[in-house]
Amino acid sequence: MTMGQTITVTVNGTVHTAEVEHRTLLVHFLREQLNMTGTHIGCDTSTCGCCTVHLDGDAVLSCSTLAVQCDGREVRTVEGLQAADGSLHPIQQAFHENHGLQCGFCTPGMMMAALGIIEQQPNATDDEIRAALEGNLCRCTGYQNIVASIRAAADQMARS
Amino acid sequence: MIPSTLAYTKASSIDEAVAAVAAGAVPLSGGQSLMPMMRLRLAAPEAIVDLGGIPELVGICEDENEIAVGAMTIHREVAASELIRAHAGLVADAAAGIGSPQVRNRGTIGGSLGHADPHSDMPATLIAAGASVLVRGPNGERRILVEDLITTYLTTTLEPGEIITQVRIPKGDDHSAYAKFHRRAIDWTIVGVAICIGDDGVRAAATGVADRPVRLSAFEEVLNGGGSLDDAIARIAEGVEPHAGLDGSVEYKKHLLGVLARQAHAEASSR
């Protein structure tokens, strides 16, 4: 019985065709086969949210999804936030301006979770943002500025 | 960690999925329980069959008496369903409180039932709602009350080759609520109490107080016999055998049952 297969996944708009083992997790595919190390691995228990990416537009944990499950689908990672000309996405700009990171380890997951929050609840209150961040841990406990960053990004994205 | 070597197939029909499961494959629904267990090597299936390519397993519709929820419907959709909220608000509430947004975007109602974790929110609320599941196997389709589905830790009455295809929730006026206690946002529920007040009386179930979700029979008996809520709560832990663990002692969990039953009953009554 075969233990691997060829998959075609669109990552940040670029089509990638690659051979993967069936057991390969999406996060390992991104980091080790595509060398896109922006998506982080923080835990082994689906607790930390550092590996959050978007699969067909939904925020998901790339540590709890197999690469083969993404065959024929679209993945967006933190590397896909900035525009083609290199300018920062409003979420990145807001994290920069509001000091939304300290050590930066949780930041890729925070920003991809933020994208999901803003898309799902564009007018989320601070309390709703906090509640929606329940799956993302910041070990520096820098939540105040993360919430402020998401608030600012949501306002900016609503204006543009 | 990396899951151990496995063979993956994606079923495109229920029949294909049943054939694969009958041949020994483990069904993969949303993967929000199975995948972490595989990463930790607590589970090491040699073969898995992905149910994510079967359109008829997804979606929420209704007939005259019941709401039909496809087994692969994600928690986010269950939480957002006006139909479920109108007839069984506690099920929508429980779905909205499972894990995190990321987990609710992948985890499914059928997966939650089939996994049968004794601290899971969904089974207890569906028991209180009087729900059933439709399952398909090599010998065709049958219906099982959710109450009769889970026997002990991670164990169901599904026969080899059977998969859950649909959850059927009875329709009716909604006077229901689910109250749970957990330490931090995405922690597992320590104890949860689900209550439905229907035309045929009160039905209550709990999670976290046994090796499976349980009906709170003594509590129901007092209320359905015209007794007071205080008297019902005094007897709520009868027949329930919580396990002491890092999440609390037996006494603590029995205490939580009473506290949460009072909360859930007040909320259900006010709906």
Side-chain angles (χ1 to χ4, degrees), chain B:
Chain B
M1 289 204 311
I2 298 168
S4 57
T5 303
L6 58 88
Y8 165 97
T9 53
K10 186 169 186 174
S12 55
S13 70
I14 292 176
D15 286 344
E16 228 177 274
V18 166
V21 174
V26 172
L28 170 64
S29 50
Q32 300 305 290
S33 297
L34 179 59
M35 213 62 77
M37 287 176 71
M38 286 163 55
R39 283 202 317 269
L40 294 169
R41 303 272 177 123
L42 295 171
E46 290 178 9
I48 57 176
V49 55
D50 186 355
L51 307 182
I54 310 173
E56 64 186 289
L57 291 183
V58 181
I60 302 168
C61 59
E62 62 180 321
D63 59 22
E64 201 180 328
N65 301 315
E66 291 180 316
I67 303 169
V69 188
M72 286 293 287
T73 307
I74 58 174
H75 299 311
R76 188 185 79 201
E77 299 294 341
V78 172
S81 165
E82 292 298 329
L83 188 60
I84 293 175
R85 199 161 284 287
H87 294 283
L90 83 172
V91 175
D93 288 344
I98 294 172
S100 62
Q102 291 95 317
V103 169
R104 296 192 287 274
N105 280 342
R106 295 286 286 164
T108 69
I109 190 168
S112 182
L113 288 173
H115 183 58
D117 190 292
H119 286 268
S120 183
D121 299 311
M122 197 48 80
T125 57
L126 288 169
I127 289 171
S132 312
V133 290
L134 297 185
V135 306
R136 277 268 288 278
N139 300 320
E141 186 173 82
R142 65 184 178 118
R143 178 186 272 259
I144 309 171
L145 272 175
V146 175
E147 188 175 349
D148 297 329
L149 179 68
I150 299 171
T151 54
T152 183
Y153 298 100
L154 311 185
T155 306
T156 67
T157 53
L158 292 179
E159 299 287 342
E162 282 185 330
I163 59 167
I164 298 168
T165 56
Q166 212 175 72
V167 180
R168 310 280 301 194
I169 304 169
K171 284 159 76 170
D173 290 340
D174 180 44
H175 304 288
S176 71
Y178 179 59
K180 68 175 182 178
F181 186 75
H182 55 170
R183 289 206 181 92
R184 297 165 303 183
I186 61 166
D187 275 346
W188 282 99
T189 297
I190 297 173
V191 174
V193 175
I195 294 180
C196 273
I197 306 171
D199 297 337
D200 53 347
V202 173
R203 204 164 35 228
T207 193
V209 289
D211 58 352
R212 64 192 189 289
V214 290
R215 278 286 282 275
L216 298 169
S217 306
F219 175 81
E220 289 178 8
E221 191 185 304
V222 174
L223 287 179
N224 291 332
S228 71
L229 181 62
D230 284 338
D231 288 346
I233 287 174
R235 291 185 50 198
I236 196 166
E238 277 181 27
V240 171
E241 295 292 336
H243 291 252
L246 292 175
D247 59 347
S249 64
V250 171
E251 293 71 25
Y252 176 67
K253 291 178 186 180
K254 287 184 174 178
H255 171 71
L256 277 180
L257 267 181
V259 172
L260 295 166
R262 198 176 291 282
Q263 278 177 22
H265 190 270
E267 197 182 330
S269 304
S270 71
R271 279 186 170 171

Side-chain angles (χ1 to χ4, degrees), chain A residues 122-137:
Chain A
N123 302 310
T125 63
D126 280 7
D127 280 352
E128 287 167 339
I129 293 171
R130 283 174 197 282
L133 279 178
E134 62 188 330
N136 290 80
L137 298 181

